[in-house]
Amino acid sequence: MSEISVILENIIGEIDAIKLYDNAIEQSSDAHVIEVLKSIRDEEQVHIGELMYLALEIDPEMASKFIDGCQEAQELIADVNDNLKKDLDSEEDQFVDDEPVLAIEG
């Protein structure tokens, strides 16, 4: 098994551990247990960051695709935000003094 495969398998293991901790947190009613489990879960998230760094460091092609994916996501989010802003602006244009500009007859 290649180094990158081992690292990716470990990332999967960390994600599985996070899910297990989240389930245990949801099932517990003891505040002390919940706080300790949250702390452990949060450390697993740090482990994912460390493993992702290693994966991107040893696999430049993966790093390039990762960056491309981040840029695509940023563009999609910007498009959604632009559309939401246009929708809000359009809704504001439909009202004058809190009264609809267009009367809808039924």
Side-chain angles (χ1 to χ4, degrees), residues 4-66:
I4 192 68
S5 295
V6 170
I7 291 169
L8 295 175
E9 286 294 325
N10 278 281
I11 290 171
I12 293 168
E14 297 292 346
I15 292 169
D16 289 342
I18 289 168
K19 291 190 292 188
L20 290 172
Y21 288 118
D22 281 340
N23 288 337
I25 290 165
E26 287 178 22
Q27 294 175 13
S28 180
S29 60
D30 185 304
H32 297 113
V33 170
I34 290 170
E35 283 308 307
V36 171
L37 291 174
K38 284 181 178 180
S39 175
I40 296 168
R41 183 222 31 223
D42 293 349
E43 188 60 33
E44 303 301 338
Q45 293 170 341
V46 171
H47 294 164
I48 290 173
E50 293 168 331
L51 290 163
M52 282 298 301
Y53 176 83
L54 282 176
L56 298 175
E57 183 73 20
I58 65 173
D59 189 338
E61 184 178 341
M62 180 186 287
S64 175
K65 290 178 181 178
F66 184 83

